[in-house]
Amino acid sequence: MIAVLEFLKEHRKKILIIIFVIVLIRFINLVGRDRDYNRFEGLIIDLLKPGFVVVNSIEEFSKGTFRVILDYKSVKEENEKLKDKVENLNYNLKQIEKIMLENHRLRELLNFKEFAPYKVVGGSVIGHSSENWSNVLVIDRGSKAGIRRKMPVVAKNGYLLGITQQVTAHTAQILLINDGNFVAGGLVQRKDSRDLGVIKGQTQESRLLMNNLAWDADIRVGDTIVTSGSQYYPKGLPIGKVISVSPDNYGLTQAALIAPFIDVRRVEEVLVITDFSTKVDLLEPLNSDHQLEGERE
């Protein structure tokens, strides 16, 4: 008897909960029956009313939570689908913009090709030199397309870009105008001048140097400098604008700094002039049609 009492005392809370649950289930089963409760059942039902409210609240909360979980999963899946659609649209938009920019650049090249009576080969830039002392880029056309060493290369609007250097069957290296090893004959385009000098690249600068100008050469800030014509360059390819003039070689000659028309770092397509044997002088057309887009400081 003592052991039973000890057990009941030790587990009284659990026993009370079990009894409460049994009674609750018993009287819940009474709900909905088509008869009147007796006084005892009615009293118990009233006493258990808070329990009914709690059970009902728990049930409603469980249903609501489950519904939220299902809705969240559905919304998450829908958001993932929308995210994928947005990413695809952004990708397609970028591709369209890329194509439009490429078409614009190609139109500028084609304008020069139609205007200049030269044989040309178009190419796309596929690489740049990594050395700080060299300015070279690589295009995807080579000897198979008719390109050889020492051929002039132009970018948009016929702006001089450089000259071919090493050539393989399917690629060609271009020595850019701002490389320290680049040299070309330069001419002041202005009709009442036509003074000559030598254009040299400056690897560490974004400017070109034009020296060997006569001490009395008529060259001014703002003058356009073009190729003077030689074995390797046709006459009249635009190079850049004069931004400063100063005495050189103790006043025996003059030198000028030239801002090139083309930013070599942004070139993506080029034209290699494979034949300019027609010897056409481009000075007059270029003077009216090819202007500097913006003088760089």
Side-chain angles (χ1 to χ4, degrees):
M1 184 66 178
I2 296 175
V4 173
L5 292 175
E6 288 294 330
F7 177 82
L8 293 174
K9 182 179 181 180
E10 182 178 354
H11 300 282
R12 64 181 182 278
K13 291 183 178 180
K14 295 179 181 178
I15 293 172
L16 289 174
I17 291 173
I18 292 172
I19 293 172
F20 176 78
V21 171
I22 292 172
V23 172
L24 181 62
I25 293 172
R26 173 70 183 85
F27 278 92
I28 287 174
N29 290 333
L30 295 175
V31 178
R33 290 188 178 184
D34 189 17
R35 69 175 180 81
D36 294 331
Y37 300 135
N38 59 39
R39 292 181 63 185
F40 177 73
E41 290 173 345
L43 178 63
I44 296 300
I45 289 293
D46 289 339
L47 290 174
L48 292 178
K49 178 182 177 182
F52 294 153
V53 173
V54 171
V55 170
N56 183 68
S57 298
I58 293 174
E59 182 181 359
E60 290 298 324
F61 177 77
S62 300
K63 290 180 180 179
T65 303
F66 186 65
R67 186 163 51 250
V68 168
I69 292 173
L70 291 178
D71 290 343
Y72 173 76
K73 183 178 179 182
S74 175
V75 170
K76 184 178 180 182
E77 291 176 352
E78 186 66 24
N79 284 341
E80 289 296 327
K81 292 179 181 178
L82 290 174
K83 184 179 179 181
D84 291 340
K85 288 182 179 179
V86 170
E87 290 179 352
N88 288 332
L89 289 173
N90 285 334
Y91 174 78
N92 291 334
L93 181 61
K94 289 179 179 178
Q95 291 299 110
I96 292 173
E97 290 176 350
K98 181 179 178 181
I99 292 171
M100 290 177 65
L101 289 173
E102 183 178 355
N103 286 340
H104 178 70
R105 293 192 302 267
L106 291 175
R107 280 198 302 269
E108 290 177 326
L109 288 175
L110 289 174
N111 287 339
F112 173 78
K113 181 178 180 181
E114 292 175 0
F115 166 75
Y118 303 142
K119 291 182 180 179
V120 296
V121 172
S124 297
V125 175
I126 59 174
H128 293 79
S129 61
S130 58
E131 298 87 358
N132 291 329
W133 60 87
S134 177
N135 287 291
V136 174
L137 57 77
V138 182
I139 61 172
D140 60 353
R141 305 298 293 275
S143 59
K144 291 288 186 180
I147 298 175
R148 303 288 182 267
R149 292 187 71 245
K150 301 295 184 181
M151 287 182 170
V153 183
V154 298
K156 65 177 184 178
N157 296 325
Y159 297 150
L160 182 64
L161 179 67
I163 192 168
T164 56
Q165 195 170 238
Q166 303 296 329
V167 179
T168 68
H170 301 288
T171 67
Q173 290 185 9
I174 299 171
L175 183 70
L176 301 174
I177 56 175
N178 63 331
D179 188 274
N181 294 315
F182 180 85
V183 178
L187 172 71
V188 178
Q189 189 186 51
R190 188 161 35 89
K191 287 183 178 181
D192 55 352
S193 173
R194 296 291 208 246
D195 280 301
L196 299 170
V198 177
I199 301 293
K200 294 182 178 179
Q202 299 184 97
T203 303
Q204 302 301 327
E205 301 288 340
S206 59
R207 304 287 187 254
L208 308 175
L209 177 66
M210 185 176 185
N211 59 11
N212 287 2
L213 287 158
W215 67 271
D216 60 347
D218 182 9
I219 182 170
R220 309 168 190 171
V221 172
D223 278 341
T224 294
I225 304 301
V226 299
T227 51
S228 59
S230 68
Q231 177 184 355
Y232 301 117
Y233 301 96
K235 190 175 183 179
L237 294 179
I239 298 174
K241 288 273 189 182
V242 177
I243 58 174
S244 70
V245 181
S246 59
D248 193 25
N249 195 23
Y250 303 101
L252 298 177
T253 59
Q254 295 185 78
L257 278 181
I258 311 298
F261 285 139
I262 191 71
D263 185 347
V264 298
R265 297 167 298 181
R266 299 180 182 275
V267 174
E268 297 183 52
E269 290 88 21
V270 305
L271 288 178
V272 180
I273 300 176
T274 58
D275 183 10
F276 55 94
S277 57
T278 53
K279 304 295 182 183
V280 171
D281 188 342
L282 298 182
L283 289 177
E284 295 304 323
L286 287 172
N287 189 38
S288 59
D289 296 340
H290 297 76
Q291 300 298 326
L292 179 61
E293 295 177 351
E295 187 171 303
R296 294 187 295 273
E297 297 298 331

